[in-house]
Each structure stands twice: as C-alpha cells, then as structure tokens.
Amino acid sequence: MHAIEAISLEKRFGTIQALAGISFSVEEGETFGFLGPNGAGKTTTIRILTGTTEPTGGSGRIFGRDVVREKIPARREIGIVHETSNIYTDLSAWENLMFTARLYNVGKRERESRALDLLSVLGLTGRKDDKTKGFSKGMKRRLTIAMGLINKPHLLFLDEPTSGLDVQSNLIIRDVIQRLTREGVTIFLTTHNIEEANILCDRVAIINRGRIAAIDTPERLKKTIQSVQSIEVAFDLPGAVRAEDLAGIDQVTGVRKMGDKVRLITGDPPAVIEGVMDYARRANLRIISINTRGPSLEDVFIRLTGLDEKGGGGTP
C-alpha cells in the first residue's frame, strides 16, 4: 500500500487550472521532495491531499483512504506543518502542544511524555513555559513542527519548513527529518532549497505549471542532464568581474553568481577553463580557485522548469 497516491488530480480556480491531471505515489517510509517555482501547484496539491480542499477531478489516497470520501480516517494518519506558523502566541509552548494533542484525542500521559520529548529534540525545553509571542521565527517554526508531530503521525506534510530560518533552526529541523525517516515516518516535503532536497529526499518530483515534469531519485535526475557541467571560479577582485564578459567566453551557455564565486555552465569544461584564463589576463585579475563540477539538482530544476540560466539568476 502506498502512503500517498495521487491519481490524475485536477484543480481549477475559475479559468485558472492549478493542477492538470497529476499522478504520483509515495512509498511508506520515504522522504519525498516536491519542488517547483511559485505558482506551480505545490500548495494546492498539499491542500487536496490533507483534505483542506477538494479536487476538481481525479482522486487522492492516504494509506488507501480516499481524501474526500474518507477524510476523517485519512487525516488521523497525518501531521501537517504549514509554511506559516499556526501557533497561539498568547499561550506557552507547552500549552500549544497540549491544545493540539487534545484536538487529536491524545491521552494525557502520552501527550505529556510526547511533548517533553519533542521540546527536547527541537531545542525548546528551556522555553517550555514561555509565551510564544516572544519567540523568534525559527523557534516558532520548530514549535509548529512539534505540534505537527504530537499525534505521532505515520505521514508528515512539511511545507517549506526551513524557509527564511536561521542556520541553527535549519540544522535542527534537518536532524529531526532524518530522525523521523529512521523511525519509518513518511515525509512529503516541499522546499525551495534545492540542496536540502538533494540531502534529505529519497525521490523528488518537479512540478511546473500544474504538471509533473519529472520524478526520480536526485542522482538519477542529475544523470538525465549529464551534458550540463560547470566551472566554478573565484577571482581576487570579484567586484570587477562582468557577467556579460564571462558569458561571451566560447562554449559558455550560462553564468550564475554564487557568493564570491561565479559558475559558468558549459558542455566543454577544458575549453572554458582556457577561456577563463585568457579573460583573467585581459582583465588583470588573479584566479583564486577554479573547479569543474558535474550537474546538480539545481541544474535539473532549471532545465525542467524553463528558468533562464543566463544573467546570473539564483534559484527561485
């Protein structure tokens, strides 16, 4: 039995088709990444699978239960962590957890034991009795995840869990995801962080304009565009580097700024390395480092969603 099964899911909002008959399945115990640009249909898919909205066509199943006809039994199997916090800021962290546990009919002894464990894992034990009004964004997100886990779900939906968070919260949340995976929890993860999906996910689906563009493991997806390679170079005066000059080097098909480095997309790395050396001499620049890299999951994302590689744009 699949943990999630989407069968020809469609969703229309008036004349706008948010989902155009998408189908996929997620196995039990799998961490499944769902990637796509803004407006691609990620949130609409989650809302259908969690019973918040009904599809215009097709069907969805959670552990074999139809998300429309068997909404309540299906919901008992899941935990949901939305991108925006749903905590009550006038309550303490503990009170928020107890309130959520009662909604799921979790018994007193179990909810208290579970809450203590979750607060410890998510680094919130010291703030257990503090009103959440004074919590940072990262602390609120961690508490939201604890609330999503208080009923010990078999399937957890995580919608952009680390978006805009501090490094500490990011690391804690990633550790929690990996721990849940070891415990056999199925995770459905939407994220804009391509590297996060590469590290955490067993498989990834890329959705664009309401359609599934590809589904596979991160490594297999990378192999589908093996011809896309790159040169990553750092100069001693990064402010003096002109992207348009680098884009003019023979065999360079794309330029992207990566912090103090520049990434040059190419199918012929040796030729581009020679071109970079010539450019550095002409511009009176010193090369600090230069490396050849294979295709990344980000390259797959950009290729399949049609985002422009030229001009130095980053990941959406």
Side-chain angles (χ1 to χ4, degrees), residues 36 38 48 64 146 148 224 235-236 260 264 268 272 280 292:
N38 289 332
I48 290 172
T224 64
F235 297 94
D236 61 336
D260 66 338
L264 308 178
D268 190 351
V272 170
T292 304

Side-chain angles (χ1 to χ4, degrees), residues 237-248:
L237 299 171
V241 177
R242 290 163 49 89
E244 54 267 36
D245 292 340
L246 292 171

Side-chain angles (χ1 to χ4, degrees), residues 15 38 62 68 84 140 149 236 249 253 281:
T15 59
N38 289 332
I62 301 294
V68 175
T84 54
K140 287 178 179 176
L149 292 170
D236 61 336
I249 294 173
T253 58
R281 283 191 288 270

Side-chain angles (χ1 to χ4, degrees), residues 17-314:
Q17 186 163 33
L19 295 178
I22 66 170
S23 298
F24 63 88
S25 60
V26 179
E27 304 304 317
E28 291 190 45
E30 185 175 29
T31 299
F32 188 83
F34 206 55
L35 311 182
N38 289 332
K42 301 188 300 297
T43 299
T44 300
T45 302
I46 285 185
R47 289 173 63 84
I48 290 172
L49 294 174
T50 57
T52 305
T53 189
E54 293 189 9
T56 307
S59 63
R61 295 181 177 276
I62 301 294
F63 296 107
R65 297 182 174 90
D66 188 277
V67 297
V68 175
R69 296 194 305 271
E70 302 169 275
K71 183 182 296 186
I72 300 304
R75 276 191 162 182
R76 290 196 187 106
E77 302 283 352
I78 68 176
I80 311 168
V81 178
H82 297 287
E83 182 179 4
T84 54
S85 171
N86 62 343
I87 65 176
Y88 293 94
T89 56
D90 288 333
L91 300 180
S92 68
W94 182 260
E95 289 167 338
N96 268 285
L97 286 169
M98 293 301 101
F99 176 76
T100 305
R102 290 189 198 98
L103 292 178
Y104 283 105
N105 294 316
V106 181
K108 185 175 186 296
R109 181 176 297 179
E110 183 182 352
R111 68 177 176 248
E112 290 182 351
S113 172
R114 183 78 175 151
L116 288 171
D117 179 54
L118 288 168
L119 288 170
S120 174
V121 168
L122 287 155
L124 295 171
T125 301
R127 304 296 299 270
K128 166 178 169 287
D129 298 315
D130 294 348
K131 292 284 191 292
T132 57
K133 187 181 297 181
F135 280 19
S136 67
K137 182 177 180 180
M139 292 168 63
K140 287 178 179 176
R141 187 68 55 81
R142 282 184 265 155
L143 179 58
T144 302
I145 290 174
M147 292 162 66
L149 292 170
I150 195 67
N151 64 322
K152 211 164 187 179
H154 296 115
L155 166 61
L156 182 65
F157 287 90
L158 290 170
D159 192 6
E160 303 285 351
T162 60
S163 176
L165 299 190
D166 58 277
V167 173
Q168 181 190 17
S169 293
N170 267 325
L171 293 175
I172 290 173
I173 290 170
R174 288 185 188 181
D175 285 346
V176 169
I177 292 171
Q178 290 169 335
R179 170 177 165 167
L180 292 170
T181 300
R182 291 193 297 270
E183 293 174 357
V185 177
T186 306
I187 296 173
F188 187 93
L189 170 72
T190 74
T191 178
H192 277 110
N193 189 326
I194 309 292
E195 184 57 28
E196 184 171 74
N198 189 43
I199 293 170
L200 296 174
C201 296
D202 298 300
R203 286 191 304 143
V204 169
I206 296 176
I207 183 171
N208 190 39
R209 298 178 183 175
R211 301 178 187 276
I212 300 292
I215 301 178
D216 214 327
T217 66
E219 290 306 313
R220 285 188 188 137
L221 285 173
K222 292 176 197 176
K223 286 181 180 177
T224 64
I225 58 164
Q226 194 64 45
S227 61
V228 177
Q229 300 179 68
S230 63
I231 301 299
E232 193 174 85
V233 58
F235 297 94
D236 61 336
L237 299 171
V241 177
R242 290 163 49 89
E244 54 267 36
D245 292 340
L246 292 171
I249 294 173
D250 190 35
Q251 301 298 322
V252 169
T253 58
V255 177
R256 194 181 315 153
K257 191 175 185 305
M258 313 281 287
D260 66 338
K261 292 174 279 295
V262 180
R263 191 173 178 202
L264 308 178
I265 311 302
T266 180
D268 190 351
V272 170
I273 289 174
E274 289 184 21
V276 168
M277 304 290 279
D278 289 341
Y279 166 74
R281 283 191 288 270
R282 291 196 310 271
N284 199 27
L285 295 169
R286 286 179 56 232
I287 294 173
I288 303 299
S289 67
I290 187 165
N291 296 289
T292 304
R293 299 194 179 279
S296 67
L297 190 57
E298 183 175 357
D299 296 319
V300 178
F301 182 91
I302 289 170
R303 174 72 65 85
L304 293 176
T305 57
L307 295 173
D308 188 13
E309 189 75 66
K310 285 273 188 183

